[in-house]
Structures are given as structure tokens and as C-alpha cells.
Amino acid sequence: MATTTKDGVSLHYETTGDGPTVVFLNDIGYGAWLWGWHHDAIAGPYEALVWDLRGTGDSDAPSGAYSVQTLAADLEAILADHGVRSAHLVGAGLGGMVALQYAHEYNRARTLTLYNTAADGGDIDADALDSLALDNGPERSLDGAFSPQFREAAPDLVDRIVGWREAEDATGDAFAAQAAAMTDFSAPPLYEVTQPAEVYYGVDDPVVPTAAAESLAADLPRGSAEAVEGRHLSFVEYATAVTDRLVAFLDEYAAE
């Protein structure tokens, strides 16, 4: 594990594996557990870097407003601290917004993989977003994240997810600050985000409408869109298929 500091805020990150760096950017409120399935598929031929957004896990939770621009600056501090010159960014929801902002503002992003992400916070269903908060109770907070079919088929896994959430996830003011960052976001000019980009979206995601994700992919010069069954964490529900696609995408561009 490692820690760096940005404007007095301590930021925690961990790396595993060797090779080109793949950075995982958490969705609103969620801790690093979110990437456990992807991490196992990536670490080895790639270096997997997972970090706790401010307000989450072992990173500090400063009071006051957050913004996507602030979180992108946090990411730049982490990559500079770790000596990363080029990175593939994999972000979900809020993390996808951070990836978009970072790719436009800084020069280390090589590719973008975006899960359940919108280019404008005004497209987000604010009530559905708030329902994801752990403060609503472990069971209710999973309603918008996972389909009933997933939860019924894997109750033991769902129990473990609840435990991971209680140990790592943002709550209270920290969750609210991240939610505000997400709903206040307006993407930079997408025609200037020229990295290869793949956008995946859950067909039953109550937080990010299908039209918003498809519009994001269409407006990225090198973007493509792929529908995935499931809700806001559809990339976890269908982790095997999604990670297979991610590895193929990374392999295509890592050699360049």
C-alpha cells in the first residue's frame, strides 16, 4: 500500500502486478472491493492500481464540497507519486466522470473504459443515486445496484458485499460530497477526448439512463457503446464477460 498527499488530503492507493498500468476509479461511495473481479483478471500482465477516492476507505474525508476536477487532480497526484507516465483508466459512474475529466486535463491517459457513466450530471437520476448510499441500510442500498436475479442467485456473495461495504464505503457527509460532485459534473468538450474509449451501460440502471450512456459513447471521437444486463453495477453482475472484453481492449492498445 502507498499514500500520497494532495492539498493536505491523504490519498491511499495500492498496486499489484507488472506491466502497463491500469487504474481503477471507484463509483460513488464504493470502496476498492468494487474492482475485486477485474483486479484478478488484470494484475499480472498489467499493473493494477486501485485507489480510495477522498471520503472513502483509507483516504481522508475532508469536509466541504468535492468536485470531479478535484478528484481528477487527486488522481494526477497519485500517478505522479507512483511514477506512472501512461495509464489505462477504468472508471464506473463517478469514477468514469473523473476519467473523462482527467483524460482532457492531463496527459497520462492512454485508453478509457467507462461503466455506467454520463457526460452530464443533469442526466443522473438523483433519487436513484441517493438510494445507493449505505446509510439507507445494506439491503435497500443494493436495490439500484444489482438486479433481483443476481441477488437471489448469489446470496452468499451478496452477504460478503454487504460486509465489504460496511468496512470500506463512504457514508454521511462524504457520500453526499461525492454525490454532489457527480450531479454537478459537466464534461469537457468530448470531441477533445481522443483516447480510445469503450462505454458499457446496464440496461436496467436506474441511476444512469441508457440514452445518456449511448450519447456519451457517440460524442467521443473513438468511443463505442455496449449494453450489459443488470443495474448500476452491471459490470459486477457480469464480471467474467466484461473483464474478458476489457483484457482484449487493453491488449489491443498496450502493444502500441
Side-chain angles (χ1 to χ4, degrees):
M1 74 177 63
T3 301
T4 191
T5 301
K6 173 64 177 175
D7 297 333
V9 177
S10 179
L11 303 168
H12 170 82
Y13 67 95
E14 296 186 8
T15 61
T16 308
D18 298 309
T21 300
V22 179
V23 180
F24 293 100
L25 297 94
N26 299 347
D27 199 354
I28 178 173
Y30 296 116
W33 67 265
L34 187 65
W35 302 111
W37 297 265
H38 288 64
H39 186 278
D40 290 346
I42 294 301
Y46 295 91
E47 178 185 58
L49 188 155
V50 183
W51 64 295
D52 294 334
L53 300 184
R54 58 173 62 201
T56 307
D58 291 327
S59 290
D60 286 347
S63 60
Y66 302 171
S67 69
V68 169
Q69 291 80 4
T70 297
L71 298 174
D74 288 348
L75 175 57
E76 173 67 4
I78 288 169
L79 296 185
D81 181 74
H82 192 52
V84 176
R85 297 179 60 187
S86 177
H88 303 272
L89 306 184
V90 181
L94 174 59
M97 293 175 169
V98 175
L100 286 170
Q101 183 68 37
Y102 184 88
H104 182 265
E105 192 170 350
Y106 301 96
N107 61 6
R108 302 180 204 263
R110 180 70 187 86
T111 66
L112 305 177
T113 301
L114 309 174
Y115 300 132
N116 303 316
T117 298
D120 193 303
D123 292 330
I124 301 297
D125 186 309
D127 290 338
L129 184 68
D130 289 342
S131 76
L132 299 177
L134 185 60
D135 294 332
N136 292 312
E139 291 302 318
R140 181 169 180 265
S141 70
L142 295 179
D143 287 346
F146 297 114
S147 68
Q149 295 87 345
F150 175 81
R151 295 168 65 185
E152 292 166 5
D156 291 343
L157 175 57
V158 171
D159 287 344
R160 293 200 298 274
I161 288 172
V162 168
W164 297 331
R165 295 202 67 197
E166 291 173 339
E168 300 180 24
D169 283 11
T171 58
D173 290 344
F175 182 93
Q178 291 185 11
M182 195 170 180
T183 55
D184 289 346
F185 178 65
S186 181
L190 293 179
Y191 62 83
E192 296 178 354
V193 181
T194 57
Q195 292 87 346
E198 290 197 338
V199 179
Y200 296 82
Y201 58 92
V203 296
D204 294 317
D205 184 356
V207 178
V208 179
T210 294
E214 291 179 334
S215 175
L216 168 60
D219 289 342
L220 289 167
R222 301 174 71 182
S224 64
E226 183 74 25
V228 181
E229 295 294 329
R231 295 187 175 177
H232 192 60
L233 298 187
S234 55
F235 57 97
V236 173
E237 290 198 41
Y238 292 90
T240 299
V242 171
T243 53
D244 285 347
R245 288 289 299 271
L246 172 61
V247 170
F249 180 61
L250 294 174
D251 288 348
E252 178 179 356
Y253 290 100
E256 294 184 5

